[in-house]
Amino acid sequence: MAAAAVAAPGALGTLQAGRARLVAACCARLGPGWRLPGSLMGPRVASAIWARGWAAAAGGSAPRRGYSSEVKTEDELRVRYLEEENRGIVVLGINRAYAKNSFSKNLIKMLSKAVDALKSDKKVRTIIVRSEVPGIFCAGADLKERVKMNPSEVGPFVSKIRAVINEIANLPVPTIAAIDGLALGGGLELALACDIRVAASSAKMGLVETKLAIIPGGGGTQRLPRAIGMSLAKELIFSARVLDGQEAKAVGLISHVLEQNQEGDAAYCKALDLAREFLPQGPVAMRVAKLAINQGMEVSALILEFTIPTKDRLEGLLAFKEKRSPRYKGE
């Protein structure tokens, strides 16, 4: 199709070529093996990779909380694939209580491995990032571990944190950060990489790096202005100010604020409600919508607002006609 578009004369050929490149980029961002069927890109190929593990808890049961300082390194990240009515929701639970869920080499390695599996798994519909430690979301980089690094190790470590946060931002499905506690520095940058943020009113959030004579290194200088505006983002970064949940909601940093419950997981419960709200929607449409919105923040992505030629689209129309709930298959 791209070759034909290049051969087409004048402005039409240029438009078709541009559309072909954008559609190709769209499919690449949707994940490995994705093709838009029909006249746009041909049949969809390759099967999904169904990866499980990293101390996944069974089914959709309540998450296991681990607060002991004896937590094994393999338990620092718990990946749970929910089942039954929550099938399609995946929960990434950070569990480094003894280090306030800060980013260590091991945790970053585990996050990278988990994200790499999730981005190619077409059965995943929504991802929730949360803490399994009460009162803490993530305190940013593990400064105690960093102090022990050789100077030559620091740069690559910071770059890896930035890369993992970017990988989370580029996941093709909706992502929700459930902030039930402290989210400072890289912890808030992790939340900013998610599509939606919800927080308890008691949570504390801030990019506080300037207090240490450094600047946010995980995308905060770019994503915070996009979330709340340039002037206010500068004010918060320059002052290293920390906001509570209500203040964060007032400036647009989070979408929902909840009074904390007795279990300490009010934000997670709200995130789960939102994820359930997303489940009935067409999977391919959700991925393309996210891509169009994200690209639209940088360049005009109106060309991506085409009718998606999928079987799900036909199923949606048929279900509407028959006055029933659609049965989407991600095809």
Side-chain angles (χ1 to χ4, degrees):
M1 173 182 171
V6 171
L12 178 60
T14 302
L15 178 61
Q16 290 176 335
R19 174 169 173 157
R21 286 193 295 271
L22 275 171
V23 171
C26 169
C27 291
R29 292 284 294 278
L30 288 176
W34 278 95
R35 298 291 187 275
L36 292 182
S39 61
L40 284 175
M41 290 301 292
R44 194 186 79 185
V45 297
S47 60
I49 300 173
W50 186 234
R52 294 176 181 268
W54 305 287
S61 58
R64 297 169 295 159
R65 293 184 178 274
Y67 309 139
S68 170
S69 60
E70 300 300 320
V71 172
K72 297 179 181 179
T73 56
E74 61 267 25
D75 289 335
E76 290 182 352
L77 180 69
R78 293 173 174 171
V79 181
R80 297 190 301 122
Y81 290 76
L82 304 191
E83 300 292 346
E84 298 176 355
E85 71 273 12
N86 296 322
R87 185 182 298 274
I89 301 173
V90 177
V91 180
L92 300 181
I94 306 174
N95 187 45
R96 294 191 77 220
Y98 61 97
K100 296 184 178 179
N101 281 354
S102 57
F103 293 133
S104 63
K105 287 183 177 179
N106 181 66
L107 178 57
I108 289 299
K109 181 180 179 180
M110 295 181 74
L111 273 168
S112 180
K113 186 177 180 181
V115 170
D116 190 55
L118 291 171
K119 68 185 179 184
S120 58
D121 189 340
K122 300 185 190 76
K123 294 182 181 179
V124 175
R125 304 287 293 279
T126 299
I127 298 167
I128 298 174
V129 181
R130 66 164 304 190
S131 166
E132 298 200 4
V133 179
I136 297 290
F137 178 72
C138 175
D142 189 337
L143 298 182
K144 290 183 179 179
E145 183 181 77
R146 188 186 295 188
V147 167
K148 299 175 184 178
M149 294 181 187
N150 294 324
S152 60
E153 295 179 288
V154 174
F157 176 63
V158 173
S159 295
K160 186 59 179 176
I161 293 177
R162 183 186 304 116
V164 169
I165 290 175
N166 286 339
E167 288 170 10
I168 291 172
N170 290 328
L171 280 166
V173 298
T175 52
I176 308 171
I179 308 171
D180 275 305
L182 197 68
L184 298 180
L188 180 54
E189 290 178 303
L190 172 63
L192 283 166
C194 295
D195 300 313
I196 299 166
R197 290 165 294 283
V198 298
S201 57
S202 57
K204 303 293 183 182
M205 291 156 270
L207 296 181
V208 297
E209 285 85 350
T210 52
K211 282 188 176 182
L212 301 174
I214 57 177
I215 68 171
T221 60
Q222 307 304 304
R223 295 191 179 98
L224 185 62
R226 292 173 188 172
I228 67 173
M230 184 181 297
S231 180
L232 188 52
K234 287 178 178 178
E235 180 181 329
L236 294 183
I237 292 174
F238 294 166
S239 64
R241 188 180 305 156
V242 175
L243 307 179
D244 63 27
Q246 294 290 353
E247 292 168 329
K249 176 66 169 64
V251 300
L253 180 56
I254 61 175
S255 300
H256 303 276
V257 60
L258 302 309
E259 290 298 321
Q260 190 56 281
N261 58 27
Q262 189 172 359
E263 291 74 21
D265 62 357
Y268 171 66
C269 291
K270 179 62 177 180
L272 195 55
D273 287 342
L274 290 172
R276 288 169 179 150
E277 215 176 325
F278 300 161
L279 285 179
Q281 320 313 328
V284 178
M286 294 285 281
R287 289 172 177 245
V288 176
K290 175 172 176 174
L291 179 62
I293 294 168
N294 286 352
Q295 290 198 349
M297 295 299 293
E298 302 169 9
V299 296
S300 176
L302 292 178
I303 198 168
L304 290 176
E305 292 189 347
F306 50 79
T307 300
I308 308 172
T310 61
K311 293 180 180 178
D312 279 349
R313 179 182 66 88
L314 299 178
E315 165 62 14
L317 294 174
L318 183 61
F320 178 78
K321 180 180 179 181
E322 296 177 354
K323 297 182 180 180
R324 59 173 174 82
S325 298
R327 295 181 289 270
Y328 295 129
K329 299 180 180 179
E331 299 176 350

